[in-house]
Amino acid sequence: MPVAPADRRPEPSPVSGAPEADASYSVRAALRSPRRLRTEVLAGLVVALALIPEAIAFSIIAGVDPRIGLFAAFTMAVTISFVGGRPAMISAATGAVALVVAPVVADHGVDYLVATVIVAGVLQVLLGVAGVARLMRFIPRSVMVGFVNALAILIFMSQVTHLVDVPWGVYPMVAIGIAIIALLPRWTTVVPAPLVAIVVLTAAAVIAGISVPTVGDEGALPETLPQLLIPDVPLTWETLRIVFPYALAMALVGLLESLMTAKLVDDITDTHSNKTREAWGQGVANVVTGFFGGMGGCAMIGQTMINVKASGARTRISTFLAGVFLLILVVGLGDVVAIMPMAALVAVMVMVSVGTFDWHSIRPSTLRRMPRSETLVMVATVVVTVWTHNLAYGVIVGVLIAMVLFARRVAHLTSVTRLDSSDEDGERVYAVRGELFFASSNDLVYQFDYSGDPERIVIDMTDAHVWDASTVATLDAVRTKYEARGKTVEIVGLNADSAARHSRLSGNLGEA
């Protein structure tokens, strides 16, 4: 059982400095508590059952044999349980990664896919060590809410295909499964409700002889254990040229989804995770997965929500056992797993999507109180994510829109005031207030009366801050316009940072 240093002693977060996780949720504490251990074991079993059809489906998207996706789910989950920075988070083969690597398989074959996964893992390790996780601080809450809501919608949409053109028996089975998952926790939480739903519906389908789609219909299950594999590709620059663009895209998409998922789990569990460790841990997991012939992956938000929210898991034990149970189920108990009705897993995922969606964010009262810019960012994140089926694209667009709207809002807080009482002795003083950067300083040049002002002008910057070269260039332009009319300009009141930037750049930016 994995007992990593972060589980014995909470690590400080590289961003917040807070402990990684509550000591009561450590592996050692779970092993000493039969109740907690039972929760972790059963959560791992439920996640393993949910992973099987997902891994098969993502294998089909990538254009590879289902075994490649299933083996990736096993190696990713087991490896990340040791090296990851967010306990209880599930990593496996994912749709986002499958979409990125699909062209490699189509154009160059499986061996180049394996090489791509290994290179992507190395890149993730390098990015993690370089501190890319610190960029998470630039993701605003509205983007996070949009990410969660889009995720819930995508989870639900992924189940629709299992509800169209299917035998009528699927619909009552899904309804019964949803009822079990929703109502059982009111009476007992000894056994996770999703697991009960899966067992009950499978037993009902077998005993009653109900003909409905099963897990076995999704694809062939492996009959052997994964084996160490060295990709059969030439070790040349040409090979690197082929795989590197896909590897870089896979590394970035995987890190973004994993770090966003880790932050979401932090919020749900009221604990902090080591994002830097999670970043390079994802890389290690992908390298291991590549050398076992897997298609690679990243954190899986849906399965993570099953593990953390629906099943109550909190430690690395559940993640480790999810991978172990997956291998046991598909290799040792493949015949049993194959007869499970897809309706049971659809019910589980539908309830996960309902539980994941932030319903408070779309209440009329919330929308009335929330600034329109915040709502726009949230909606844009949801729309782009759902439209592209790529969480990374949605987050990037959301962050860009948030940055633009923030810059626009701050720009309006800048003002230039003429102090009329200063017009004595041929001098006029202008007081500039606010944060001066490219968005707010461009109009600064139009706030002065170049022809009507006296011979000496003082620009008081006591209540302003110069942030960039655009502002320095604007101040140079103001000075140039006055000097062209034979007038002198003195800039006073700059704080230390602004003065240093102004003295370094003023006069060295070319013609304004």
Side-chain angles (χ1 to χ4, degrees):
M1 200 67 62
V3 182
D7 294 310
R8 292 198 296 267
R9 182 179 302 165
E11 291 185 8
S13 163
V15 175
S16 65
E20 181 192 49
D22 192 304
S24 63
Y25 291 146
S26 69
V27 168
R28 290 185 182 276
L31 293 175
R32 296 191 185 103
S33 170
R35 182 177 181 182
R36 168 51 52 186
L37 183 59
R38 182 186 67 240
T39 299
E40 300 295 320
V41 172
L42 294 178
L45 178 58
V46 174
V47 171
L49 292 171
L51 275 173
I52 295 171
E54 295 281 308
I56 294 174
F58 297 147
S59 299
I60 294 172
I61 292 174
V64 298
D65 189 283
R67 288 174 294 183
I68 294 179
L70 290 167
F71 287 158
F74 161 69
T75 53
M76 287 291 298
V78 170
T79 305
I80 206 67
S81 68
F82 286 92
V83 300
R86 175 63 261 180
M89 191 167 76
I90 305 297
S91 292
T94 63
V97 169
L99 289 171
V100 171
V101 301
V104 180
V105 180
D107 296 339
H108 304 284
V110 174
D111 284 304
Y112 278 85
L113 163 66
V114 173
T116 299
V117 173
I118 294 171
V119 173
V122 173
L123 290 175
Q124 287 179 325
V125 171
L126 295 176
L127 289 170
V129 172
V132 70
R134 294 186 179 90
L135 296 177
M136 285 297 295
R137 72 182 67 182
F138 296 109
I139 298 180
R141 182 184 179 279
S142 52
V143 174
M144 193 67 192
V145 172
F147 168 81
V148 171
N149 290 345
L151 182 65
I153 294 171
L154 288 178
I155 292 173
F156 181 83
M157 290 175 61
S158 68
Q159 306 309 307
V160 172
T161 56
H162 300 295
L163 298 173
V164 178
D165 294 330
V166 294
W168 68 268
V170 168
Y171 303 110
M173 292 187 74
V174 171
I176 293 171
I178 291 175
I180 292 173
I181 297 171
L183 300 177
L184 184 62
R186 298 183 182 183
W187 286 281
T188 179
T189 57
V190 173
V191 180
L195 180 59
V196 174
I198 292 171
V199 172
V200 169
L201 293 179
T202 301
V206 172
I207 294 172
I210 304 173
S211 178
V212 292
T214 64
V215 171
D217 296 332
E218 297 295 304
L221 300 178
E223 298 177 353
T224 60
L225 296 174
Q227 298 177 346
L228 191 64
L229 172 69
I230 304 298
D232 185 17
V233 297
L235 299 178
T236 62
W237 287 110
E238 177 63 18
T239 299
L240 184 61
R241 184 192 67 79
I242 292 172
V243 304
F244 186 81
Y246 300 104
L248 180 60
M250 176 181 166
L252 295 176
V253 168
L255 283 180
L256 182 57
E257 290 205 24
S258 298
L259 294 176
M260 290 287 285
T261 304
K263 189 174 187 300
L264 179 60
V265 177
D266 289 353
D267 294 339
I268 292 173
T269 60
D270 289 327
T271 58
H272 292 278
S273 58
N274 189 327
K275 303 297 190 303
T276 297
R277 176 174 171 176
E278 183 60 38
W280 63 255
Q282 288 289 329
V284 172
N286 272 307
V287 170
V288 172
T289 297
F291 279 116
F292 277 94
M295 59 181 280
C298 61
M300 296 190 74
I301 184 68
Q303 276 64 29
T304 298
M305 290 300 99
I306 293 175
N307 196 45
V308 174
K309 210 166 186 179
S311 302
R314 291 293 183 271
T315 75
R316 300 174 188 273
I317 296 175
S318 58
T319 306
F320 175 79
L321 290 179
V324 172
F325 283 145
L326 171 68
L327 191 64
I328 293 173
L329 288 170
V330 298
V331 176
L333 300 173
D335 293 339
V336 176
V337 173
I339 64 174
M340 289 192 327
M342 284 300 300
L345 298 176
V346 169
V348 172
M349 297 307 291
V350 167
M351 289 304 294
V352 167
S353 68
V354 171
T356 301
F357 197 91
D358 186 352
W359 297 99
H360 179 269
S361 66
I362 61 171
R363 289 178 183 172
S365 58
T366 302
L367 295 175
R368 283 195 299 268
R369 287 194 300 267
M370 193 67 64
R372 291 183 180 178
S373 58
E374 301 286 332
T375 302
L376 176 61
V377 170
M378 188 260 291
V379 171
T381 304
V382 172
V383 170
V384 173
T385 300
V386 173
W387 183 267
T388 63
H389 284 241
N390 192 315
L391 291 165
Y393 290 161
V395 171
I396 291 172
V397 170
V399 170
L400 290 176
I401 293 176
M403 291 171 62
V404 171
L405 293 177
F406 174 77
R408 179 176 179 272
R409 188 162 57 248
V410 173
H412 287 121
L413 300 179
T414 302
S415 66
V416 178
T417 305
R418 187 179 70 180
L419 303 181
D420 294 331
S421 60
S422 65
D423 294 348
E424 301 176 359
D425 302 323
E427 177 182 284
R428 175 165 291 170
V429 178
Y430 286 92
V432 181
R433 296 180 177 85
E435 306 300 317
L436 301 176
F437 61 108
F438 61 90
S440 62
S441 62
N442 285 334
D443 291 335
L444 195 65
V445 70
Y446 304 115
Q447 307 301 315
F448 300 87
D449 184 3
Y450 301 101
S451 299
D453 284 343
E455 298 301 315
R456 173 176 162 77
I457 294 88
V458 177
I459 302 177
D460 186 355
M461 307 282 288
T462 302
D463 297 323
H465 192 107
V466 176
W467 286 105
D468 61 4
S470 295
T471 303
V472 176
T474 299
L475 292 175
D476 285 353
V478 171
R479 184 188 297 274
T480 299
K481 288 180 179 294
Y482 275 118
E483 290 178 348
R485 292 168 173 79
K487 303 175 182 180
T488 60
V489 177
E490 181 182 5
I491 299 175
V492 300
L494 288 169
N495 58 41
D497 181 67
S498 298
R501 185 171 291 109
H502 184 265
S503 63
R504 184 173 67 252
L505 298 176
S506 182
N508 297 312
L509 298 174
E511 293 186 5

